[in-house]
Amino acid sequence: MNEPGVEVEGMRVAFDGVTALEDVSLSIEPGEFFTLVGPSGCGKTTMLRAIAGLTDGADGSVAIDGRDVTDAPPEARNVGMVFQNYALFPHMSVHENVAYGLRFHDLGDDRSEDERVAELLDLVDLSGVADRSPEQLSGGQQQRIALARALAPEPDVLLLDEPLSALDAKLRKRLRVQIKTIQQELAITTIYVTHDQAEALALSDRVAVMHDGHVEQLAAPETVYRDPASRFVAEFVGDNNLFEGTVTAGGTCIIVDGAKLPLPADAGVSAGESVTLAVRPEAIAVVDGANGSGSVETTLEATVETVEFLGDAYRAHCRWQDRRVEVKTAASEPPSGEVRLRFDRADAYVI
Ligand code: ATP
């Protein structure tokens, strides 16, 4: 059986008595693209640095490809790291920057340094810029060079700490596809840190959603999105409408402000229980006229307050009773005025 790519057990870190990580364990598969995502201060960078051996006072164990590296210094762990701010050496050429990654490393074969650098520049699709200095490159190009430098010594694990957050939105999307492509080509175990949930969903095989120093949910992106384990995850990952109410006698609906909202068939709740029902904006339809089909129990009479045009859809911020309800609709005209909203019970979930 394969050893895990990275195994972290019982990681605890505190800074001046403030807990940054409380007893977190992770088991990451070889070749997996694994993402730590969460709001600022949740401990994701601390976890990445603990894996790299850069956190003082980290209490817990780390193994890489079955090798216990808990007491090993960073340079003996064979990890490659990329940071948000490129960290290229400005006085060295692109070629020299990448070659620097090889400085303390014997590739163990007959490739020359020049051949390896050329290979890496080709991998990040920047063969033409070897002689330039970093300042003659765009932010996105600099980050690809930083990636090439991190990959130069053929690390067992690639650690990426918010590598795209200094770039503009369009470039961010393009570069994330390149990172994913390179990661797949090399099949390298990768741990990625981001506060951007959309980036986490787009890139990862599995995602650990972190909050206040612990993991709230660890699952495939689809599971985190469709079946959030907690209210925190439901609110942090994507947009959600949350309705708190009491389960009806029949167990099929909840009562919210006097209205009945349908529960999913397999909700596993009992009559009288207080529950939170979550419905994604894209699961709510704007309908005209009378109540809809048999599969839908309720329409909510709401007022559209603000509409945003998203290109492929409209996001309407509506008011229903005293609540805001967000709806995403692909209709060709923006909804306005008094509307009826409805959703299918199969598209709602209980938290
Ligand atoms: P961000 O996205 O803002 O970097 P993060 O999720 O990566 O956030 P960490 O950087 O891991 O969070 O920080 C976790 C907690 O530990 C925070 O409360 C932070 O203030 C604290 N912390 C991190 N590094 C140190 C340090 N060197 N000294 C003191 N406190 C620290």
Side-chain angles (χ1 to χ4, degrees):
M1 207 183 81
N2 266 352
E3 299 281 0
V6 177
E7 179 106 51
V8 178
E9 267 181 63
M11 188 55 72
R12 293 169 208 262
V13 178
F15 297 106
D16 305 327
V18 178
T19 303
L21 283 180
E22 48 177 57
D23 195 10
V24 178
S25 298
L26 300 171
S27 186
I28 297 160
E29 298 294 318
E32 185 171 17
F33 198 119
F34 188 92
T35 298
L36 300 165
V37 66
S40 184
C42 70
K44 43 196 196 300
T45 295
T46 302
M47 176 54 99
L48 201 72
R49 292 175 62 86
I51 293 168
L54 296 168
T55 300
D56 287 334
D59 182 12
S61 68
V62 179
I64 294 175
D65 288 342
R67 240 174 348 115
D68 186 340
V69 297
T70 309
D71 297 320
E75 62 277 12
R77 294 190 179 201
N78 204 20
V79 299
M81 207 155 168
V82 178
F83 303 91
Q84 177 182 334
N85 55 354
Y86 327 133
L88 297 178
F89 303 113
H91 56 284
M92 292 185 190
S93 70
V94 164
H95 180 103
E96 287 164 341
N97 263 281
V98 177
Y100 186 87
L102 291 167
R103 192 176 270 197
F104 307 108
H105 189 83
D106 177 11
L107 286 172
D109 56 33
D110 54 9
R111 278 174 298 176
S112 69
E113 182 182 288
D114 283 355
E115 280 168 343
R116 178 69 181 140
V117 171
E119 234 173 67
L120 287 156
L121 290 179
D122 189 43
L123 180 73
V124 299
D125 205 14
L126 280 175
S127 298
V129 304
D131 298 327
R132 290 201 207 163
S133 80
E135 66 198 17
Q136 293 171 303
L137 301 179
S138 70
Q141 289 173 326
Q142 288 186 49
Q143 204 52 314
R144 277 145 66 194
I145 297 301
L147 180 63
R149 186 180 60 183
L151 291 170
E154 302 183 330
D156 296 324
V157 182
L158 180 62
L159 305 176
L160 302 158
D161 192 359
E162 303 259 11
L164 306 182
S165 55
L167 307 173
D168 68 62
K170 196 147 195 165
L171 192 53
R172 237 173 18 231
K173 276 198 181 156
R174 209 167 67 214
L175 203 47
R176 86 182 183 204
V177 176
Q178 283 178 323
I179 289 177
K180 178 80 177 172
T181 306
I182 291 168
Q183 188 271 339
Q184 285 175 334
E185 196 174 322
L186 301 178
I188 185 171
T189 309
T190 299
I191 308 178
Y192 191 94
V193 160
T194 181
H195 62 272
D196 181 340
Q197 51 86 26
E199 203 169 280
L201 297 182
L203 281 169
S204 317
D205 295 315
R206 283 187 307 158
V207 175
V209 183
M210 295 187 66
H211 180 212
D212 280 350
H214 66 270
V215 175
E216 288 266 331
Q217 186 169 15
L218 197 168
E222 290 85 347
T223 308
V224 168
Y225 190 84
R226 294 179 192 148
D227 194 12
S230 67
R231 187 185 176 107
F232 174 82
V233 177
E235 292 190 298
F236 183 76
V237 179
D239 299 315
N240 241 321
N241 295 291
L242 301 181
F243 301 99
E244 275 139 18
T246 312
V247 179
T248 54
T252 57
C253 291
I254 55 169
I255 307 277
V256 182
D257 292 346
K260 268 188 184 179
L261 303 186
L263 285 167
D266 54 355
V269 294
S270 31
E273 203 179 321
S274 292
V275 298
T276 301
L277 188 69
V279 191
R280 296 275 179 200
E282 65 268 25
I284 301 181
V286 180
V287 290
D288 300 321
N291 248 339
S293 75
S295 66
V296 179
E297 286 76 6
T298 317
T299 60
L300 310 178
E301 304 200 356
T303 310
V304 177
E305 293 191 324
T306 318
V307 180
E308 297 170 86
F309 179 52
L310 306 176
D312 56 351
Y314 290 100
R315 193 196 318 274
H317 300 268
C318 307
R319 185 153 297 275
W320 169 63
Q321 316 232 28
D322 287 335
R323 295 157 190 282
R324 287 175 68 96
V325 178
E326 206 177 296
V327 179
K328 195 172 165 191
T329 166
S332 53
E333 297 292 324
S336 64
E338 306 297 316
V339 292
R340 289 167 183 268
L341 307 177
R342 72 179 192 202
F343 59 88
D344 198 291
R345 62 172 67 236
D347 294 329
Y349 46 91
V350 171
I351 295 166

